């Protein structure tokens, strides 16, 4: 039981001493990224910078104990920051009380964790599939744009008091035009941004964020940027976070639960995609349910120690992987480094300019967007491109939480649309090819004049039973007396009571019109349902054939017709 639900126990038992130097070194390298990103993403979520460090410590410990992956690195995430802010800031009130905001964020982390642990224990890891790739792409592109626009004022040394993307964009333009930007802040912010981008482009193995942070702190000391009006991080509260049960008002619970559901879905989707990518490199398998439990436990741990919701970080995981980390000991080393800093040297980053943290967030937002993939959707499948752009506009115009809700609804609606109007193919023989093929795909085909062979590529349910019925009626209408409509039923994986009722009535209707509707290669479970539903009239046994070739053979013998070759243009 312990090795199943608490993978950290098994990790300790199987740990090899030769891994220790590499894990410790990787943890030290990782901590250089965890500190500035943790503070930056905390402020992105509308919280004090130190909460990002509290969160990093507890989530790393929680995942080391309960997480199944050896390489994934958790922590504050740029994609969750706006969702956290959208949930807690309206509840925190106009005064923006930091203590209340932290309490709300902590409860949000606990609820997120409980949802994920419960879903993992209930084997619901498949819920990550509720977001299709096109909608995820559009959502992330929209999220990247809203993050960048929201950070631009901070990057240039001023602030905007506005809600929503349009309000923030107009506020930024207005502040820029009216001269609210601070030259010193703009200089260090833009310099930090360009430095990170340049290092990522030409020296990708160097920790660009750490270099930019050290550079900004050096410039802050050299030019006394604080005296020039540039906001600095300042001395962090000394000591480790204490165990705290978040106290909020009862009226806050419903919005918190709604935000937690959205955050849990995004965190799970991000985690599964990242875990799958890195596991494939190591020849490992990903267990979505256990990942949910690991991420959920990490969120609960963070929530009880003044933290906020977390997810897997692709960038930090890549650093750990490239540095040669072998186990979750790397995360524990990173957590220990942060803890030592908070206890011994809380003023280590006191001179770090806030615009540099803004630059860190902007670069992270760049990594969320994928414009080339969006362009490919246009050439690959226009409907997927429309889905992606709708999700993008939903995030930008409606907000982050409504945007994720819209993305989920569109993904589900797209599945329903494909079931409602599935692909249907009339089959025939193609010279030089074995079997039967879609007649629309070849210039010359052969078909049986007294038969139509239809393949219906979807489960047959209430939503598409009318579509199926109308197509069969149309095919039967064009057939001569005693003609057959043969259904290649192998792709039909399910049938509900509505569809069963329709099939029984349709078979009887065509029999009365001297047309025959038969089924070939119907799966045993589907055929069993036709019998189990005990509908009247029942479909006769002689309307079923085990293979398509046997159905075609029976049709040829009954009608006396053979294959007739026709050019594609003669087919209806």
């Amino acid at each position: 039981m312990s090795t199943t639900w608490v993978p950290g126990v098994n990790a300790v038992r199987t740990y090899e001493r030769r891994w220790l130097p590499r894990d410790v070194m990787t943890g030290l390298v990782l901590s250089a990224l965890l500190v500035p990103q943790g503070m930056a993403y905390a402020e992105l979520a509308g919280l004090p910078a130190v909460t990002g460090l509290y969160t990093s410590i507890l989530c790393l410990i929680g995942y080391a104990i309960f997480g199944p992956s050896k390489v994934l690195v958790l922590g504050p995430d740029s994609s969750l920051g706006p969702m956290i802010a959208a949930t807690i800031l309206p509840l925190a009130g106009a005064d923006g009380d930091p203590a209340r905001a932290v309490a709300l964020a902590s409860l949000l982390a606990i609820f997120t964790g409980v949802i994920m642990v419960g879903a993992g224990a209930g084997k619901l890891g498949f819920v990550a599939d509720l977001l299709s790739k096109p909608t995820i792409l559009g959502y992330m592109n929209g999220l990247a744009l809203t993050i960048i626009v929201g950070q631009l004022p901070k990057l240039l040394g001023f602030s905007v008091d506005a809600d929503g993307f349009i309000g923030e964009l107009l506020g930024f333009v207005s502040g820029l035009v009216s001269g609210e930007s601070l030259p010193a802040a703009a200089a260090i912010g833009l310099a930090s941004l360009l430095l990170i981008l340049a290092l990522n482009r030409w020296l990708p193995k160097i920790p660009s964020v750490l270099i930019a942070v050290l550079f900004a702190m050096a410039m802050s000391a050299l030019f006394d940027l604080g005296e020039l009006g540039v906001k600095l991080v300042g001395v962090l509260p000394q000591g480790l976070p204490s165990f705290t049960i978040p106290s909020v008002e009862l009226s806050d619970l419903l919005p918190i639960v709604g935000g937690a559901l959205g955050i849990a879905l995004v965190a799970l989707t991000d985690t599964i995609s990242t875990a799958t990518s890195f596991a494939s490199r190591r020849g490992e398998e990903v267990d979505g349910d256990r990942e949910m439990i690991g991420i959920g436990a990490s969120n609960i741990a963070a929530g009880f120690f003044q933290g906020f919701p977390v997810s897997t970080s692709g960038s930090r995981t890549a650093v750990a992987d490239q540095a040669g980390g072998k186990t979750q000991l790397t995360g524990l080393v990173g957590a220990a480094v942060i803890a030592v800093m908070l206890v011994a040297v809380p003023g280590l980053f006191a001179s770090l300019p806030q615009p540099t943290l803004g630059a860190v967030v902007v670069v992270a937002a760049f990594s969320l967007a994928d414009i080339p993939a969006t362009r490919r959707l246009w050439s690959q499948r226009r409907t997927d491109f429309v889905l992606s752009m709708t999700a993008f506009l939903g995030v930008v115009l409606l907000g982050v939480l409504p945007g994720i809700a819209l993305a989920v609804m569109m993904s589900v609606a797209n599945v329903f649309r494909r079931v409602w109007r599935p692909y249907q193919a009339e089959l025939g023989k193609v010279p030089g090819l074995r079997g039967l093929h879609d007649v629309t795909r070849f210039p010359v085909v052969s078909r049986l004049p007294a038969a139509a062979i239809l393949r219906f590529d979807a489960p047959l349910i209430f939503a598409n039973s009318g579509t199926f019925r109308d197509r069969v009626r149309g095919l039967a209408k064009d057939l001569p007396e005693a003609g057959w409509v043969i259904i290649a039923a192998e792709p039909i994986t399910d049938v509900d009571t509505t569809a069963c009722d329709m099939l029984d009535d349709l078979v009887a209707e065509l029999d009365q019109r001297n047309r025959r509707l038969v089924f070939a290669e119907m799966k045993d479970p589907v055929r069993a349902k036709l019998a189990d539903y005990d509908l009247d009239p029942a479909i006769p046994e002689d309307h079923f054939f085990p293979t398509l070739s046997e159905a075609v053979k029976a049709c040829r013998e009954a009608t006396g017709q053979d294959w007739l070759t026709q050019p594609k243009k003669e087919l209806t």
Side-chain angles (χ1 to χ4, degrees):
M1 176 64 72
S2 61
T3 58
T4 300
W5 297 100
V6 189
V9 173
N10 187 57
V12 172
R13 291 175 179 173
T14 60
Y15 194 83
E16 298 183 21
R17 184 175 298 179
R18 60 188 176 88
W19 295 343
L20 184 61
R22 181 66 68 179
D23 279 347
V24 171
M25 183 58 64
T26 301
L28 294 174
V29 172
L30 195 60
S31 64
L33 192 61
L34 291 169
V35 173
Q37 284 191 341
M39 292 191 294
Y41 298 159
E43 295 196 344
L44 175 63
L47 298 165
V50 72
T51 60
L53 304 183
Y54 296 162
T55 301
S56 298
I57 294 172
L58 271 302
C59 74
L60 290 170
I61 295 174
Y63 192 81
I65 298 172
F66 295 99
S69 173
K70 295 179 180 180
V71 69
L72 288 187
V73 178
L74 268 64
D77 187 68
S78 58
S79 64
L80 298 188
M83 299 183 72
I84 298 169
T87 303
I88 67 171
L89 294 186
L91 302 176
D95 56 354
D97 179 13
R100 176 163 162 72
V102 170
L104 290 166
S106 297
L107 187 61
L108 182 62
I110 294 171
F111 278 15
T112 300
V114 169
I115 290 170
M116 297 188 77
V117 169
K123 305 296 183 182
L124 299 178
F126 65 88
V127 298
D129 297 333
L130 288 177
L131 285 173
S132 65
K133 185 175 180 179
T135 51
I136 291 175
L137 189 61
Y139 174 79
M140 288 300 180
N141 286 339
L143 197 61
L145 184 59
T146 57
I147 290 173
I148 291 170
V149 169
Q151 291 296 305
L152 286 178
K154 183 176 182 178
L155 195 68
L156 301 182
F158 66 99
S159 60
V160 170
D161 185 14
D163 293 325
F165 172 80
I166 300 299
E168 290 183 342
L169 179 60
L170 293 176
F172 169 70
V173 173
S174 175
L176 197 61
V177 172
S178 61
E180 294 182 23
S181 61
L182 187 67
I188 193 63
L190 294 175
S192 301
L193 176 62
L194 294 175
L195 180 58
I196 297 173
L197 293 175
L199 291 175
N200 288 346
R201 175 68 175 84
W202 287 294
L203 297 171
K205 293 186 177 181
I206 292 180
S208 57
V209 171
L210 177 61
I211 298 300
V213 165
L214 295 176
F215 164 79
M217 291 171 62
M219 293 299 100
S220 177
L222 183 61
F223 296 103
D224 201 2
L225 295 182
E227 291 298 319
L228 296 177
V230 178
K231 292 183 179 180
L232 306 178
V233 169
V235 178
L236 299 174
Q238 187 172 26
L240 299 177
S242 58
F243 178 84
T244 304
I245 297 177
S247 177
V248 300
E249 298 176 4
L250 189 61
S251 60
D252 297 331
L253 294 182
L254 187 59
I256 290 291
V257 171
L261 287 170
I263 290 171
L265 180 58
V266 171
L268 175 62
T269 303
D270 187 32
T271 296
I272 295 300
S273 60
T274 303
T276 301
S277 174
F278 284 94
S280 63
R281 304 178 189 180
R282 295 175 168 232
E284 300 172 353
E285 295 292 331
V286 173
D287 187 329
D289 297 318
R290 290 176 64 197
E291 285 294 352
M292 291 184 81
I293 293 173
I295 304 294
S298 302
N299 274 283
I300 293 172
F304 280 119
F305 288 86
Q306 303 172 50
F308 52 86
V310 298
S311 178
T312 302
S313 168
S315 61
R316 293 188 285 269
T317 301
V319 169
D321 186 58
Q322 291 170 3
K326 299 296 183 182
T327 70
Q328 284 297 326
L329 181 61
T330 58
L332 293 177
V333 172
V337 170
I338 298 173
V340 170
M341 186 200 77
L342 287 173
V343 172
V345 281
L348 183 61
F349 290 91
S351 61
L352 177 62
Q354 289 281 0
T356 298
L357 292 182
V360 172
V361 173
V362 169
V363 173
F366 286 153
S367 68
L368 294 177
D370 194 342
I371 306 304
T374 305
R375 289 200 301 264
R376 284 196 301 272
L377 285 180
W378 174 260
S379 59
Q380 292 171 345
R381 191 181 180 95
R382 297 293 172 86
T383 54
D384 283 350
F385 176 81
V386 171
L387 284 174
S388 181
M389 293 307 298
T390 304
F392 169 81
L393 292 175
V395 174
V396 171
L397 299 179
L398 301 179
V400 177
L401 291 177
I404 189 64
L406 179 62
V408 171
M409 287 189 293
M410 286 194 308
S411 293
V412 174
N414 191 37
V415 173
F416 184 80
R417 178 187 65 82
R418 293 183 181 181
V419 173
W420 179 38
R421 288 288 186 266
Y423 187 76
Q424 306 170 51
E426 189 175 352
L427 305 181
K429 291 185 67 175
V430 178
L433 293 179
R434 297 182 61 183
L436 301 180
H437 304 274
D438 187 346
V439 298
T440 63
R441 302 290 181 178
F442 300 92
V444 177
V445 294
S446 297
R447 61 183 297 179
L448 290 172
I453 306 172
L454 176 67
R455 190 186 72 221
F456 193 79
D457 294 346
L460 195 53
I461 60 174
F462 71 96
N464 58 30
S465 61
T467 300
F468 178 88
R469 180 196 60 219
D470 295 342
R471 180 65 186 275
V472 170
R473 282 175 174 171
L475 292 172
K477 181 180 178 182
D478 295 333
L479 294 177
E481 287 286 330
W484 287 36
V485 178
I486 303 172
I487 304 300
E490 196 274 337
I492 300 177
T493 56
D494 193 15
V495 60
D496 66 5
T497 55
T498 301
C500 283
D501 203 354
M502 177 274 298
L503 288 177
D504 280 9
D505 292 343
L506 186 59
V507 168
E509 173 190 327
L510 294 187
D511 282 347
Q512 291 178 358
R513 292 166 50 190
N514 198 21
R515 306 291 191 277
R516 197 172 190 204
L517 176 62
V518 303
F519 305 88
E521 301 179 352
M522 179 172 283
K523 297 179 184 298
D524 290 340
V526 177
R527 186 172 175 183
K529 289 182 180 180
L530 293 177
D532 291 344
Y533 291 151
D534 195 23
L535 299 173
D536 185 41
I539 303 176
E541 282 292 319
D542 62 359
H543 282 57
F544 296 95
F545 293 87
T547 66
L548 190 55
S549 60
E550 290 189 32
V552 170
K553 179 181 178 181
C555 176
R556 291 170 63 191
E557 292 175 351
T559 62
Q561 299 283 345
D562 206 348
W563 294 102
L564 177 64
T565 301
Q566 297 175 295
K568 182 178 177 180
K569 64 181 180 180
E570 294 183 14
L571 297 175
T572 57

